[in-house]
Amino acid sequence: MTYYDSRLASVTLVAALATTSVVALSPSTALAVPPGGYGDLVEAVSPSVVFIEVTGKASGTGPAGAMPQGMPEELRKRFEKMIPGDRGDAPHKGVGSGFIISEDGQIVTNHHVVDGADSVLVKLADGRSFEATVIGSDAMTDVALLQLATDESLPVVAFGESDSMRAGDEVVAVGNPFGLGGTVTSGIISAVSRDIHAGPYDDFIQTDAAINRGNSGGPLFNNDGEVIGVNTAIFSPDGGSVGIGFAVPSDLVQTVVADLQDDGTITRGWLGVQIRPMSDEVASVLGYDGPKGAVVEAVTEDSPANKGGLEKGDIILSFNGTEIVELRDLTRAVADTAPDKSADVEILRKGDKITRQVTVGTLGQQDA
């Protein structure tokens, strides 16, 4: 699994809009893909896809220091082979892609493209360059929002509905792989709602459209020229595209962007439990077709869960009306609940279904 770092020569793994300034105008021309290819679509959307150059402070660490905490050992070894040695105190530079969502110059890209940036330079397809500031960035979804320093009216692209996309639908990726600006690749959606174990918001669109280093933060378009995903990662044994790429779905991106536009930060709910999946054996004993719910391994002292009466061994079946089938269902439902809001938690305790009410806290660095 390869995630593109904001360093030119390194790779690092990186783990929710309805506002006037972000709802971009749809292209005026019909963008149905003709038998001849994607030329009309690309011509319409390319002016809004940008090339991003980032300069950041030197980390003063070797490859191991660039790795996120908790990375599996086998994955860590794979990345270390791809990352050159310590570059000392030299500032690191990086490249990525992005796309313009408002005429006043707001741009969506990946968090890991601009993470730690001292300066961000954005180059448009027509050759113009602008300095940009980071309005806000969210590591959990790998989404960042930039603002260009310009009074000019800029070309924009619109978001589409990622939930309407299906495996087999055609898609087009536009970006700047390896610094080659304005590169277009096409393919299909290979899978939807893909969990690659990068974090609680894993719900990726998988595509076989070629995505390489430098494509990070670039748009994945449907046949109407609407952005239905933000390219963020590939699976690759050697750093190059092997036809397995991942994009953050646009429905999630829009929610995150709307939150970042407000104050540049993301506020999420916190419950205060450590959880694990239900075993097949327990599911069989309970008469379920398969494992479901989240088993509470531990309850943090003085947490919302602790104050709400949750205990170790409880099986959480639903949270605030959301059925919990997989662990990510709970982490996402909790995170998407506003802090200080009351939520009903349906649990299974010693064979009995009971409901507890909790007042959700604010997520810091705690677990679910």
Side-chain angles (χ1 to χ4, degrees), residues 3-159:
Y3 280 70
Y4 310 117
D5 195 288
S6 56
R7 303 183 182 209
L8 276 171
S10 66
V11 184
T12 300
L13 181 67
V14 294
L17 133 89
T19 64
T20 303
S21 62
V22 172
V23 178
L25 298 175
S26 299
S28 58
T29 56
L31 293 176
V33 178
Y38 294 97
D40 291 341
L41 186 154
V42 173
E43 185 175 341
V45 302
S46 287
S48 303
V49 181
V50 303
F51 178 52
I52 299 174
E53 292 185 337
V54 173
T55 302
K57 294 179 181 178
S59 64
T61 62
M67 299 296 178
Q69 295 296 318
M71 178 183 287
E73 186 61 27
E74 190 62 34
L75 203 56
R76 180 180 295 276
K77 290 179 181 178
R78 182 185 303 173
F79 277 117
E80 287 177 348
K81 291 180 181 178
M82 301 170 63
I83 300 176
D86 194 345
R87 295 191 295 169
D89 294 327
H92 73 260
K93 295 180 180 293
V95 296
S97 304
F99 54 97
I100 306 171
I101 61 170
S102 68
E103 293 182 353
D104 64 351
Q106 288 191 348
I107 291 174
V108 172
T109 187
N110 281 151
H111 162 82
H112 73 264
V113 169
V114 297
D115 187 28
D118 280 342
S119 64
V120 180
L121 182 67
V122 172
K123 296 183 179 181
L124 274 60
D126 61 11
R128 289 179 292 171
S129 296
F130 301 95
E131 295 290 334
T133 57
V134 180
I135 296 176
S137 188
D138 179 41
M140 292 185 79
T141 57
D142 201 19
V143 173
L145 182 65
L146 312 181
Q147 177 65 61
L148 296 188
T150 179
D151 294 327
E152 300 181 36
S153 180
L154 300 176
V156 299
V157 286
F159 282 109

Side-chain angles (χ1 to χ4, degrees), residues 159-180:
F159 282 109
E161 296 180 358
S162 55
D163 278 354
S164 68
M165 303 302 292
R166 305 163 301 166
D169 285 343
E170 293 178 316
V171 287
V172 174
V174 183
N176 305 280
F178 303 108
L180 300 172

Side-chain angles (χ1 to χ4, degrees), residues 22 49 81 114 124 131 152 177 186 191 197 218 220 246-247 249-250 272 278 284 292 302 328 355 362 366:
V22 172
V49 181
K81 291 180 181 178
V114 297
L124 274 60
E131 295 290 334
E152 300 181 36
S186 66
H197 306 292
L220 188 67
F246 302 97
S250 61
M278 177 187 291
S284 178
K292 60 185 294 187
D302 203 34
R328 61 175 174 167
T355 299
T362 302
Q366 304 96 332

